[in-house]
Amino acid sequence: MSSRSAGRTQVDHLIVGAGFAGLAAAIKLDEAAERDFVVIEKDSDVGGTWHINTYPGAECDVPSQLYSYSFALNPDWSKVYSPQQEIWEYTRKVAEDSGTLDRFVFDTAVLDATWDDEAQRWVVRTEGPAGVQEYAARTLIAGAGGLSEPRLPEIEGIETFQGEIFHSARWNHDVDLTGKRVAVIGTGASAVQLVPELQKVVGHMDVYQRTPNWIIPRNERSFTTLEKTVFKRVPGAQRALRALVYGTLESRVPAFAKFPQAMRAVEMQGRKNIARGITDPELRKLVTPTYRAGCKRILISNKWYPALDADNVDLVTDPIAKITGNAIVTADGVERPIDVLVVATGFYVTEPPIARHITGRDAVTLADLWDESGMAAYKGTTFHGFPNLFQIVGPNTALGHSSMIFIIESQVKYVVEAAKAMRREGLAAVEPTQAAQDAWTAEIRRRMKPTVWQTGGCASWYLDKFGNNTTLWPGQTFTFRQHLRTFDLDKYDVEVSHQREAVNA
Ligand code: NAP
């Protein structure tokens, strides 16, 4: 178990983040008898994005039956798409049941993590209620999530705004929006959920759209008591439904990855959704995308278009020129006064700030490398130059079509296999070879070429500044799982313990 020496707490594994990724890593390491770990979480509880994102209307857009761990099915989901609070409560219960919470440290941020070649450990500094602490960890397992650092828009004068301003991912529940003049900047997945809720209470709302999204209907319904009883009592029933949902979502991959023209069917659904929700022909035109569906994330909502069509809402498509003390001014010179500004402008995905704080061999940070050539990893998980670093939801592991929990579980298995292999072989450090990482990256780039994300004619957060899609997995999720089913030591440079070598010498 963890011990202290030279003011540092020695642990085998340091996990960053207590969301779905960090929690799964903790549970699966524990099950594999790798119990000497600590989970550092900057928030006050488990749940990650599902604890932090509390904006009105926050719900999952992947069906609940699949948006849950395979090892902790939940027969009690209230509806097809679970609300945020319910998902957070689920993660809390899974954490409690796992018996691992004694190794979670909350309200504590990772300041930096530096590989110490001599000690063959990651030296990790954290800051929390107990002040600055230092850990020396054999492995560093980063599960901080790709959608955790809010991106504030760079708009002239935004800092001079005198009213309340907050990001969708940092909702200020103390601000009563009843009867207020509100502006929402952004029309992505978060805005599409929160705008219809705000529309019911605000006096007036301006929604600032830069690019419209393809939005298809949400086949929403509650599970009946009978269904929940069947999920609980009939062995295999819930797993069968889960498999059906999984299969249905996977059947959409070829359209994304190989035959983007098949997305016309989605566009038809989107156009129908617009016609159903909006009466004004001019507004219909403004919300209809001109790029191929799937190029940006396809959104699902039955409420977005009716909300935009409501009398107390204006959709503004003129670019924002500046923000003053009490208004937004668009390029056409129109000034729209507001009391509250909600920015639903997304996250730092292709340049995650955490990369600046992780320093590998030769004093190089992940950000230094990624600045030069974009995010890259071996199997989305390990990094040449960064021994014993494992990132869950690393480069090219995100999905536009299915549940990230499937990916997370695949990666966690790989990490646990790595930990076991290191113990079995007496290894102090493992690091993918440059050749293995380059070959993996080249194959991803090759497979990315025909995809809708690369050819669909849009700008999206999937692409980095070089135009490469470094975020999404370009294929079926079972293929990803197949690649990560064992830890392929032959693709790694390995080191035995310096101490052991010294002893043996
Ligand atoms: P997002 O999809 O990145 O959307 C950001 C929005 O802000 C876009 O409409 C963007 O316009 C706009 N924007 C950004 N900067 C702007 C600027 N300077 N001026 C004007 N508009 C600006 O962010 P998000 O909605 O928070 O969603 C991010 C991801 O979180 C989603 O794709 C999804 O993966 C996840 N999410 C999931 C759920 C769920 O139900 N499971 C819910 C919410 C979020 P452009 O399109 O022109 O860039």
Side-chain angles (χ1 to χ4, degrees):
M1 278 296 153
S2 65
S3 61
R4 281 183 71 78
S5 69
R8 285 181 184 161
T9 303
Q10 307 281 328
V11 286
D12 275 345
H13 312 287
L14 188 141
I15 300 168
V16 185
F20 267 97
L23 180 54
I27 293 172
K28 291 296 162 185
L29 282 171
D30 196 65
E31 281 176 12
E34 291 283 338
R35 303 214 166 90
D36 183 16
F37 62 79
V38 63
V39 182
I40 306 294
E41 168 57 60
K42 65 177 161 29
D43 196 7
S44 60
D45 213 322
V46 299
T49 194
W50 296 103
H51 189 240
I52 298 169
N53 277 271
T54 59
Y55 60 79
E59 290 192 337
C60 192
D61 56 10
V62 174
S64 325
Q65 297 300 345
L66 198 59
Y67 202 84
S68 47
Y69 293 123
S70 64
F71 54 85
L73 297 195
N74 174 19
D76 295 318
W77 293 124
S78 63
K79 14 185 234 167
V80 172
Y81 297 99
S82 311
Q84 168 263 328
Q85 175 78 13
E86 209 172 313
I87 301 176
W88 172 66
E89 283 167 6
Y90 165 80
T91 58
R92 180 77 214 170
K93 181 170 184 311
V94 171
E96 279 164 11
D97 292 349
S98 72
T100 58
L101 274 176
D102 56 336
R103 281 153 281 171
F104 284 57
V105 181
F106 293 110
D107 296 311
T108 299
V110 170
L111 297 176
D112 46 47
T114 307
W115 174 252
D116 179 340
D117 230 353
E118 197 49 41
Q120 294 169 305
R121 288 196 165 232
W122 281 97
V123 176
V124 183
R125 289 189 319 129
T126 66
E127 187 168 32
V132 175
Q133 306 274 312
E134 221 169 76
Y135 292 88
R138 270 197 320 123
T139 74
L140 176 63
I141 302 169
L147 301 171
S148 58
E149 296 290 341
R151 182 190 280 278
L152 296 174
E154 285 164 21
I155 298 173
E156 186 192 323
I158 192 165
E159 69 291 347
T160 64
F161 182 63
Q162 298 294 307
E164 296 289 348
I165 172 169
F166 46 87
H167 190 275
S168 56
R170 299 287 183 274
W171 200 262
N172 185 346
H173 291 274
D174 293 336
V175 177
D176 181 7
L177 297 174
T178 313
K180 297 269 171 63
R181 293 171 306 177
V182 177
V184 176
I185 301 180
T187 53
S190 302
V192 160
Q193 294 184 334
L194 67 90
V195 161
E197 298 307 310
L198 265 44
Q199 182 272 325
K200 296 176 196 162
V201 297
V202 298
H204 181 83
M205 178 162 50
D206 296 317
V207 176
Y208 288 84
Q209 171 188 281
R210 194 164 65 178
T211 320
N213 282 294
W214 285 107
I215 305 175
I216 59 174
R218 190 176 174 96
N219 294 320
E220 184 69 285
R221 72 175 183 87
S222 297
F223 288 116
T224 63
T225 312
L226 176 65
E227 281 172 308
K228 290 189 211 169
T229 310
V230 170
F231 293 154
K232 247 183 229 148
R233 304 257 167 86
V234 180
Q238 194 173 19
R239 260 187 214 284
L241 178 56
R242 185 178 165 97
L244 182 68
V245 173
Y246 176 78
T248 307
L249 297 185
E250 285 305 303
S251 72
R252 297 175 186 168
V253 170
F256 284 98
K258 287 196 175 143
F259 311 109
Q261 63 281 15
M263 286 292 177
R264 286 209 185 95
V266 174
E267 292 166 13
M268 268 170 62
Q269 278 182 287
R271 285 203 178 84
K272 272 192 200 155
N273 206 19
I274 293 170
R276 203 178 299 130
I278 293 179
T279 46
D280 174 8
E282 200 47 43
L283 184 56
R284 282 182 182 172
K285 219 158 71 205
L286 291 177
V287 298
T288 305
T290 51
Y291 55 85
R292 182 106 288 163
C295 183
K296 288 161 94 76
R297 190 179 171 95
I298 298 169
L299 307 182
I300 52 172
S301 176
N302 303 331
K303 302 176 189 165
W304 169 252
Y305 294 127
L308 293 187
D309 207 34
D311 289 342
N312 62 342
V313 177
D314 283 334
L315 182 77
V316 184
T317 55
D318 275 305
I320 299 172
K322 63 175 178 181
I323 296 177
T324 66
N326 67 345
I328 295 184
V329 183
T330 40
D332 55 0
V334 177
E335 181 171 337
R336 294 177 178 83
I338 47 168
D339 308 308
V340 180
L341 173 56
V342 175
V343 288
T345 44
F347 302 86
Y348 290 99
V349 183
T350 53
E351 302 118 41
I354 190 175
R356 281 200 294 277
H357 305 294
I358 299 184
T359 307
R361 275 193 213 288
D362 311 322
V364 175
T365 67
L366 268 183
D368 293 337
L369 279 185
W370 292 354
D371 259 359
E372 260 172 42
S373 47
M375 296 198 299
Y378 178 58
K379 299 196 169 177
T381 312
T382 54
F383 304 88
H384 182 72
F386 296 79
N388 300 2
L389 170 65
F390 299 88
Q391 188 181 18
I392 316 225
V393 191
N396 291 109
T397 60
L399 302 175
H401 75 285
S402 188
S403 170
M404 278 311 292
I405 302 185
F406 187 92
I407 295 289
I408 286 171
E409 286 192 41
S410 310
Q411 289 191 279
V412 164
K413 176 159 188 300
Y414 189 71
V415 175
V416 171
E417 292 298 320
K420 286 200 224 164
M422 288 172 75
R423 198 169 288 286
R424 191 177 59 237
E425 309 288 333
L427 301 175
V430 295
E431 174 189 343
T433 64
Q434 186 73 61
Q437 183 169 318
D438 289 349
W440 176 263
T441 307
E443 177 60 8
I444 296 255
R445 298 252 164 103
R446 188 188 69 74
R447 290 177 58 190
M448 210 51 98
K449 279 194 185 127
T451 66
V452 70
W453 311 301
Q454 215 80 44
T455 62
C458 74
S460 79
W461 61 257
Y462 299 150
L463 308 182
D464 67 10
K465 61 183 178 187
F466 305 104
N468 291 320
N469 185 334
T470 54
T471 51
L472 294 183
W473 170 245
Q476 309 279 1
T477 58
F478 51 78
T479 322
F480 182 80
R481 179 160 288 188
Q482 183 70 6
H483 279 297
L484 274 75
R485 76 186 187 289
T486 53
F487 185 67
D488 40 356
L489 210 44
D490 59 321
K491 295 286 195 283
Y492 282 77
D493 291 328
V494 301
E495 280 177 20
V496 293
S497 158
H498 288 168
Q499 278 93 354
R500 207 171 72 164
E501 275 178 335
V503 169
N504 291 344

